[in-house]
Amino acid sequence: NSVARYALDGNLNDKWGTNTGSQSGVSFTSNAIRGQAGGFQSSNNDLIDAGDFADGLNDYTVSAWINPDSLTGITNIVKKDGGGIRNKRHFSLRIEDSNGRISVFSRDKDGNSLKTVSDRTVSANNWAFVAGRVKDDTAEVYVNGEQKKSDSDPSYTRHPASSEPVQIGGDNVGGFLYYDGSIDDVRIYN
């Protein structure tokens, strides 16, 4: 099922629903896969706050086109925190390290982590399609349409409820992990 789609074509409208976002510092650029893309600068703490939705997504997929300006370490592409419960994220699709590996990460209400990190990397100044999927107790990460890693944890249950927003390109809840570069066509599926 389609939950939300942010084409970022000069606006923050949710093409599939009513979760129109607000932004802090994000510009729109013609360096895009389709139409326009969101331009993010980590030094300005740029991000899109898409609002509080996506609660109760037990099985989900998050995808985006990314073109990072640099690879400096962990940076969020799309994430939703766990509502004041330290380190309890609904989900996070991010660049994992300065090598450009992609990860999908989630924690359940008991603090059990479910994470997988790709063995394939993205590079700075090049577009890549990335996706993370969580189904039951398994996390999968995809780079340019190919599954690059899958990990399971039988102790992982489900996501905690959260009143925190879905965010693109940063983390204003924790105040770090901001993204540098362009992000285009963000999609969330249930």
Side-chain angles (χ1 to χ4, degrees), residues 3-4 8 11 15 18 32 46 49 67 69 77 92 109 121 125 153 166 174 187:
V3 176
L8 303 177
N11 62 58
K15 301 280 187 190
T18 60
D46 293 354
D49 182 328
N67 185 353
D69 289 343
I77 302 165
S92 177
K109 63 181 178 54
T121 62
N125 302 307
D153 181 352
V166 171
R187 299 179 185 209

Side-chain angles (χ1 to χ4, degrees), residues 29 46 49-50 89 95 100 108 117 119 128 131 138 152-153:
T29 175
D46 293 354
D49 182 328
R89 288 182 176 82
I95 298 174
D108 66 16
V117 181
D119 54 9
T138 302
S152 296
D153 181 352

